[in-house]
Amino acid sequence: MNKGERTKHHILEKSIQLFAKNGYDGTTINQIAKESKISEATIYKYFKSKLDVLITCVKPDIQDVWMEEDFSKLSIEELLRLYVEKRIKWVEKNRNQIEILISETLRHPELSEIFFQQIYRKTPIEEEIESRMLAKETNFHLEIPILSLSMITTIISILNLQKSVLDKDPMHITDDAINKMVQLILFGLIGKKSPE
């Protein structure tokens, strides 16, 4: 990464923190410059406007969590557990960007496209889950975007609930909470198995 790329990355890191804390309207280019320890002119060298900074900030990184794997050998239970665990890791990594997207999408419609690209883009594990639903390995068929959005909002909600209960930001979801989410998904999609 060259100096210009490092500067742009630093601006984005500070902007994400400010937008997550203060919202778009509560954040100024001047604040971003001060937090980044650079001039406003330097910000405008890399971005056309504050909105351009916002749009660049909120593009979560999907690639590293959803690596290609062979999911076909996993049972539906193992597949859904892995999905929940991977989705949690992705949300934890991109939490500020996701919270910004959720809170600012109504005021800035141009963010809707970014948000929906993330939700409607099927990952390999989601494609496998969908094929299992179509093969009737689950009790009903749930649209993948609805499953994805449900997972994201549930994870964000759990993180925020933990933050308010613990009076500090846990930055990750406890193993107990992960197990409860997996059980919710399993029993919501599969239902209780009948005794043999």
Side-chain angles (χ1 to χ4, degrees):
M1 191 182 301
N2 65 34
K3 185 180 180 201
E5 290 168 336
R6 282 192 307 270
T7 301
K8 185 175 181 178
H9 182 73
H10 184 67
I11 293 166
L12 290 172
E13 282 181 341
K14 295 301 180 183
S15 299
I16 289 168
Q17 292 170 4
L18 288 167
F19 289 139
K21 181 181 176 186
N22 306 326
Y24 177 80
D25 293 332
T27 301
T28 65
I29 288 291
N30 187 356
Q31 289 172 316
I32 295 169
K34 282 182 182 176
E35 282 291 315
S36 303
K37 296 181 174 49
I38 58 172
S39 69
E40 288 184 41
T42 302
I43 292 174
Y44 287 114
K45 177 180 176 184
Y46 297 98
F47 303 97
K48 293 178 251 173
S49 64
K50 183 172 81 167
L51 185 59
D52 188 29
V53 175
L54 177 69
I55 289 169
T56 306
C57 281
V58 295
K59 295 182 181 175
D61 181 16
I62 280 185
Q63 302 306 324
D64 62 331
V65 175
W66 305 110
M67 296 166 25
E68 295 291 328
E69 296 178 33
D70 182 11
F71 301 113
S72 63
K73 294 178 175 59
L74 299 176
S75 70
I76 188 67
E77 292 92 346
E78 293 167 328
L79 182 66
L80 290 171
R81 176 172 291 283
L82 183 62
Y83 176 68
V84 169
E85 289 169 354
K86 285 183 176 271
R87 184 55 80 184
I88 287 169
K89 286 179 187 172
W90 181 79
V91 169
E92 288 174 341
K93 181 176 186 238
N94 296 286
R95 181 178 175 186
N96 284 338
Q97 294 99 312
I98 295 165
E99 286 180 340
I100 293 165
L101 269 172
I102 291 169
S103 66
E104 298 294 336
T105 296
L106 292 175
R107 288 188 290 265
H108 303 283
E110 52 275 29
L111 296 180
S112 296
E113 185 176 330
I114 295 167
F115 188 66
F116 290 119
Q117 283 173 357
Q118 299 303 324
I119 300 302
Y120 286 98
R121 181 179 176 270
K122 285 183 198 161
T123 61
I125 196 167
E126 289 169 333
E127 289 175 357
E128 182 67 24
I129 290 168
E130 183 174 54
S131 74
R132 303 284 185 93
M133 285 191 277
L134 292 171
K136 307 259 189 251
E137 288 185 41
T138 61
N139 290 338
F140 65 97
H141 184 269
L142 182 66
E143 296 296 323
I144 291 299
I146 294 170
L147 176 63
S148 180
L149 183 59
S150 299
M151 288 301 309
I152 291 168
T153 55
T154 299
I155 294 163
I156 291 289
S157 297
I158 289 171
L159 286 168
N160 289 335
L161 179 64
Q162 285 180 341
K163 181 179 178 179
S164 67
V165 169
L166 300 174
D167 203 27
K168 66 177 184 174
D169 196 344
M171 297 307 289
H172 69 279
I173 293 182
T174 63
D175 289 340
D176 183 52
I178 291 171
N179 289 332
K180 286 178 182 174
M181 274 200 301
V182 169
Q183 291 304 308
L184 177 67
I185 297 276
L186 288 175
F187 290 115
L189 293 177
I190 298 172
K192 292 185 178 181
K193 292 184 178 181
S194 57
E196 295 181 20

